[in-house]
Amino acid sequence: MLAVSVAVGTGGLFVYFLAYRKKSHTLPMGDGWWGAGERSFSEDESIRSFEVKTSDEEIQDLYRRIDQSRFTPPLEDCKFNYGFHSNYLRKVVSYWRNEYDWKKQVKVLNKFPHFKTKIEGLDIHYIHVRPKYVPDGCIMRPLLMVHGWPGSFFEFYKIIPMLTESSDGFVFEVICPSIPGYGFSDHPRKKGFDSIQAARIFHKLMERLGFKEFYTQGGDWGSLITTNMAQMKPETVKGLHLNFGFVSKGGLKMLISLLFGAYVPFLVGFTKEDVKRVFPYMQKNVYEMLLESGYMHIQATKPDTAGCALNDSPVGMAAYILEKFSTWTDKEFRELEDGGLDRKYSLDELLTNVMIYWTTSSIVSSMRFYKENVGRNMEKRPDARIPVYSPTGISAFPNELLHSPSVWLQQRYKNIVSYSYMPRGGHFAAFEEPKLLADDFRQFVKKVEK
């Protein structure tokens, strides 16, 4: 009888420990109100159809501002090393002014169904694309895809048809929201709106759409937001797929891998590809980041100051945004006078993304997201101490800003079921290499579903 009592008591403590452990490793859901003024307790939870629109007045205002732009002559042979080369900028602006058809692109944007719904005082915009046909025996899963900066929901327009058509027994119902402060979503009216708040809002969005379990995919800020979603309600995130994996802090294990990884990679969990992408470390992870992160310091400290100029000048905004689509796609494009922009994208695609920022006046509010996230010590945030237990897949693109080996990511993501070294591509994976990303996501889902 004593043995039974001890066993029952021990079992009870073990169950309690597991329950407590699970609770302590979950990011608190919390709540918030980001609209103007005091919180309303009678928030309209209806889902409303939305259509992107434009007007002749909007277009004429754009043309007037473009016509009044001033250009600074470039330095000789500077290419893209000083930023957007002004000679090529003149060509882009000329195309924008004389050939680009915004009304036509609005029709492109509206080819997928748009919606809005009010959450925590903000109108949240999203597109919701259902498969046109689901064959018998084909498994359909909901998928939330989240963009980053300076991108938008438009980044996913090429990959969505690849995911909403059945293949390998799977098909996906895709939801792509605009992060609050971006595009057609309202911008927060109060301080403190970071990735954790966005994660909670997107959980509420998916709940409102009736999804109790779903996959997520993201890069850039979308990677952090979807990671926070998995930390917040792991039981709802069936699988987390990222094309930008990162760790917020290093530690002894990372230090040892950096000291010995180039010489005995197998002892520290590095592959040959990891060695190729990580080393020389100072060149690729310190010097290169200093070259590419000036914007981040501005946006993480005084976003409204620089944003004021960008919000007033379409040419300035285009230069600021499109320069990232050059160097973040391939750092070698800095050595080209045209930044290599037309090697991966069309000007219509690039300018449509710019126009989403311009017509919604969202450049300042999108930049503030850096202030709310990076402007504080990220290692002291609650999500920095909480592991991710949802099945995780990583697409590691070779031209990404930073490479994170699987052994580093395992410190945070405890259930990596898929880690793929992609053959080509950079930061804007869905926009640049949609087929590669779609194929890798599908193989990840097959592993999770098994």
Side-chain angles (χ1 to χ4, degrees):
M1 189 68 179
L2 178 62
V4 173
S5 299
V6 171
V8 171
T10 304
L13 288 172
F14 183 66
V15 171
Y16 174 80
F17 169 76
L18 288 179
Y20 176 77
R21 181 176 181 271
K22 183 177 181 181
K23 183 179 179 181
S24 66
H25 283 75
T26 301
L27 190 63
M29 184 80 171
D31 202 3
W33 177 262
W34 306 100
E38 296 297 320
R39 179 167 192 159
S40 170
F41 289 95
S42 58
E43 189 169 66
D44 179 10
E45 296 186 358
S46 65
I47 294 173
R48 313 179 307 276
S49 294
F50 173 76
E51 184 178 3
V52 182
K53 296 181 179 179
T54 186
S55 66
D56 291 336
E57 291 76 16
E58 182 178 67
I59 295 171
Q60 290 306 314
D61 177 69
L62 171 69
Y63 289 167
R64 177 182 61 80
R65 292 169 183 268
I66 287 177
D67 291 341
Q68 293 177 349
S69 296
R70 300 185 300 176
F71 295 86
T72 301
L75 296 174
E76 294 180 4
D77 200 34
C78 67
K79 300 168 185 174
F80 255 55
N81 287 296
Y82 280 69
F84 207 111
H85 197 284
S86 60
N87 284 351
Y88 185 62
L89 182 59
R90 287 179 180 272
K91 295 179 182 179
V92 172
V93 171
S94 176
Y95 180 86
W96 195 5
R97 175 65 173 83
N98 300 306
E99 298 179 58
Y100 176 80
D101 188 340
W102 173 231
K103 289 185 177 181
K104 177 181 178 181
Q105 294 304 310
V106 164
K107 293 180 180 179
V108 172
L109 292 177
N110 285 323
K111 75 176 184 178
F112 294 136
H114 293 248
F115 302 91
K116 282 190 176 185
T117 188
K118 187 80 72 176
I119 304 177
E120 297 188 7
L122 301 176
D123 256 352
I124 304 302
H125 162 262
Y126 63 97
I127 58 174
H128 188 172
V129 188
R130 295 179 174 87
K132 294 181 179 179
Y133 173 67
V134 181
D136 291 339
C138 185
I139 299 173
M140 185 170 71
R141 295 284 187 251
L143 166 62
L144 178 78
M145 306 188 78
V146 184
H147 66 87
W149 188 92
S152 66
F153 66 92
F154 182 61
E155 289 181 70
F156 301 117
Y157 267 51
K158 289 184 283 188
I159 197 173
I160 287 174
M162 301 176 186
L163 296 171
T164 54
E165 294 179 1
S166 62
S167 176
D168 297 328
F170 293 97
V171 65
F172 301 94
E173 181 175 354
V174 182
I175 299 92
C176 300
S178 294
I179 300 171
Y182 289 70
F184 300 106
S185 282
D186 282 350
H187 67 268
R189 302 302 180 93
K190 295 173 173 59
K191 296 185 294 182
F193 189 90
D194 58 16
S195 64
I196 297 173
Q197 318 306 321
R200 182 181 62 250
I201 282 180
F202 290 164
H203 265 304
K204 290 183 177 181
L205 171 64
M206 296 302 279
E207 289 171 5
R208 191 167 295 180
L209 294 176
F211 300 120
K212 296 181 179 180
E213 190 178 55
F214 50 88
Y215 285 91
T216 63
Q217 202 289 321
D220 196 85
W221 284 127
S223 171
L224 183 55
I225 292 170
T226 54
T227 292
N228 290 159
M229 292 180 74
Q231 293 170 311
M232 193 173 287
K233 296 187 70 174
E235 69 277 8
T236 68
V237 178
K238 189 174 180 64
L240 168 69
H241 189 272
L242 311 173
N243 56 277
F244 184 67
F246 64 94
V247 288
S248 58
K249 55 183 178 181
L252 182 61
K253 190 173 184 180
M254 182 180 291
L255 177 60
I256 292 174
S257 66
L258 289 175
L259 290 174
F260 300 104
Y263 310 103
V264 283
F266 59 92
L267 289 181
V268 296
F270 277 11
T271 65
K272 291 182 179 179
E273 188 65 23
D274 289 329
V275 173
K276 178 182 176 181
R277 297 187 185 190
V278 171
F279 298 103
Y281 180 79
M282 291 299 292
Q283 170 67 30
K284 293 186 175 182
N285 297 270
V286 179
Y287 178 65
E288 286 289 348
M289 283 307 297
L290 286 174
L291 285 179
E292 292 300 328
S293 61
Y295 81 99
M296 183 170 64
H297 297 288
I298 293 173
Q299 295 176 192
T301 53
K302 303 292 179 64
D304 287 30
T305 303
C308 178
L310 301 180
N311 195 46
D312 191 60
S313 169
V315 175
M317 181 188 292
Y320 194 75
I321 289 177
L322 295 186
E323 184 249 314
K324 305 308 177 191
F325 281 89
S326 167
T327 54
W328 292 2
T329 297
D330 191 333
K331 289 186 283 289
E332 296 300 320
F333 287 171
R334 288 196 298 254
E335 300 304 320
L336 302 173
E337 187 169 309
D338 63 2
L341 282 169
D342 61 357
R343 297 189 179 192
K344 294 290 186 175
Y345 318 101
S346 71
L347 282 182
D348 279 351
E349 292 171 342
L350 293 169
L351 289 171
T352 296
N353 184 67
V354 171
M355 285 294 287
I356 290 171
Y357 280 86
W358 177 256
T359 57
T360 59
S361 295
S362 60
I363 188 64
V364 176
S365 53
S366 73
M367 293 164 68
R368 288 174 182 160
F369 205 53
Y370 283 80
K371 174 78 170 178
E372 305 297 3
N373 286 285
V374 186
R376 300 179 176 88
N377 188 341
M378 295 193 74
E379 292 186 15
K380 293 184 177 180
R381 288 172 32 141
D383 57 322
R385 302 186 295 273
I386 297 175
V388 178
Y389 292 104
S390 296
T392 303
I394 307 291
S395 297
F397 286 84
N399 292 325
E400 184 55 271
L401 294 170
L402 289 173
H403 176 68
S404 295
S406 178
V407 68
W408 289 359
L409 294 173
Q410 287 167 10
Q411 297 178 65
R412 187 177 202 182
Y413 302 93
K414 302 301 183 180
N415 189 13
I416 297 178
V417 300
S418 172
Y419 185 99
S420 304
Y421 297 97
M422 308 306 285
R424 62 184 181 276
H427 188 70
F428 304 99
F431 206 38
E432 178 191 354
E433 295 290 350
K435 179 74 164 57
L436 286 180
L437 185 63
D439 289 347
D440 191 63
F441 176 73
R442 283 186 177 277
Q443 66 84 25
F444 161 69
V445 170
K446 288 175 68 176
K447 291 181 179 180
V448 174
E449 294 287 340
K450 284 182 179 180

